[in-house]
Amino acid sequence: MLNILSSMIPLALAYTAPLLIIALGGLFSERSGVVNIGLEGLMGIGAFTSAFFISSNYESMGDVSILLGVILGALMGGLFSMIHAFASITMRADQVISGTAINMLSSAITIYLARALTGSANIQIIKGFIKRDVMFLGLSKIPVIGPIFFGNAYITTYVVILIVVVSWYVLYKRPFGLRLRACGEHPQAADSMGINVIRMRYIGVIISGILAGLGGAIVITTYSGEFSGNIYSGLGFLALAALIFGKWKPFGVLGAAVFFGFAKTVADMSQLFESLKTLPNIYFNTFPYVVTIIALVLFSKNSAGPRAAGEPYDAGKR
């Protein structure tokens, strides 16, 4: 049993990390009052940028290119998200349509650029992050818990958890978080208190783009190892489900992402059991999404997002 958990949990955490950071990006955007269903596309931009940079520069820069590729992927996600911010905040366009356009544009432009720049729609990286035991304070040597939670893991998993903790602190303990949440709940009241609603919403959307781009870069540098059309496999929509399931709260999103990460791991590891090998692959491939739908049906009834999410800000309603 311990051996199964030692194999299963690190893989589940690897799947959880990008999903969690993408969902956290959605949280910042929707807490500011802007629905962002373009997370999938923003993730794809980050994945493409990271893969192209690492594959182009690894031979000359070595492992430094992996770190720089991840940072550039996050920054490009933030830059691309400004399209959604401009359309939905400045132009007051329908936020769902704008997010859908982001997904379609991202899918088309990344595949086109991949073919134009490399001659193939797939970009493989030479090397990504390597799984290691966490030697800090001897965590991996703690009996039972150490091998399960701190053995054979990607460093990105713990970076993402640190970002979740920092996000909770910023959103609930700092003035910036209070202002951001106020813009998503009652923007007219926030405006009357001197808060620049437009600026706060731009910041929320850009942070969501940075985190979604970071999620895409983590996918490339951990379990995927290459950019392809399969990157757009619904991870961004699973992140939206985790956001709703987690009730728009950082630690709620963490719990939801872990749940979905385990569902994906169960689907992958089921192939290792002889009794399940005869079943068609479609059952295992759709398992995480079916579980997601069931979870949303069962638990989303009492979920209520920010009251002003999806509504363009109208200063005239003050």
Side-chain angles (χ1 to χ4, degrees), residues 89-111:
I89 301 173
T90 302
M91 302 304 293
R92 303 176 64 190
D94 187 294
Q95 296 173 11
V96 174
I97 294 175
S98 176
T100 303
I102 290 290
N103 288 334
M104 296 173 67
L105 178 62
S106 171
S107 176
I109 199 170
T110 53
I111 297 297

Side-chain angles (χ1 to χ4, degrees), residues 69-80:
V70 170
I71 294 173
L72 281 175
L75 293 177
M76 283 304 296
L79 187 64
F80 205 73

Side-chain angles (χ1 to χ4, degrees), residues 156-203:
T156 50
T157 299
Y158 303 101
V159 171
V160 168
I161 292 174
L162 177 63
I163 293 175
V164 172
V165 175
V166 172
S167 297
W168 171 83
Y169 177 75
V170 169
L171 282 171
Y172 291 96
K173 300 296 180 182
R174 302 302 303 168
F176 169 80
L178 179 63
R179 292 169 186 152
L180 189 79
R181 289 187 289 127
C183 292
E185 294 292 339
H186 202 308
Q188 285 77 20
D191 192 5
S192 68
M193 296 299 292
I195 298 172
N196 189 325
V197 176
I198 301 297
R199 183 171 64 188
M200 294 302 294
R201 287 190 168 184
Y202 260 92
I203 292 173

Side-chain angles (χ1 to χ4, degrees), residues 267-310:
D268 283 0
M269 293 193 71
S270 59
Q271 295 285 323
L272 301 177
F273 297 97
E274 291 294 333
S275 59
L276 298 176
K277 281 186 176 179
T278 56
L279 293 175
N281 284 336
I282 191 171
Y283 291 157
F284 305 111
N285 293 333
T286 57
F287 178 73
Y289 304 98
V290 172
V291 169
T292 299
I293 293 172
I294 294 174
L296 283 174
V297 170
L298 293 177
F299 298 104
S300 63
K301 182 178 179 181
N302 297 322
S303 294
R307 278 181 288 184

Side-chain angles (χ1 to χ4, degrees), residues 31-88:
R31 279 294 186 184
S32 74
V34 179
V35 172
N36 190 354
I37 67 168
L39 294 174
E40 179 107 343
L42 299 173
M43 177 205 73
I45 289 292
F48 165 76
T49 304
S50 178
F52 179 68
F53 183 85
I54 294 171
S55 66
S56 302
N57 296 283
Y58 187 81
E59 289 186 357
S60 59
M61 300 176 68
D63 289 348
V64 176
S65 65
I66 300 173
L67 180 60
L68 291 178
V70 170
I71 294 173
L72 281 175
L75 293 177
M76 283 304 296
L79 187 64
F80 205 73
S81 70
M82 292 183 70
I83 299 174
H84 180 52
F86 178 75
S88 59

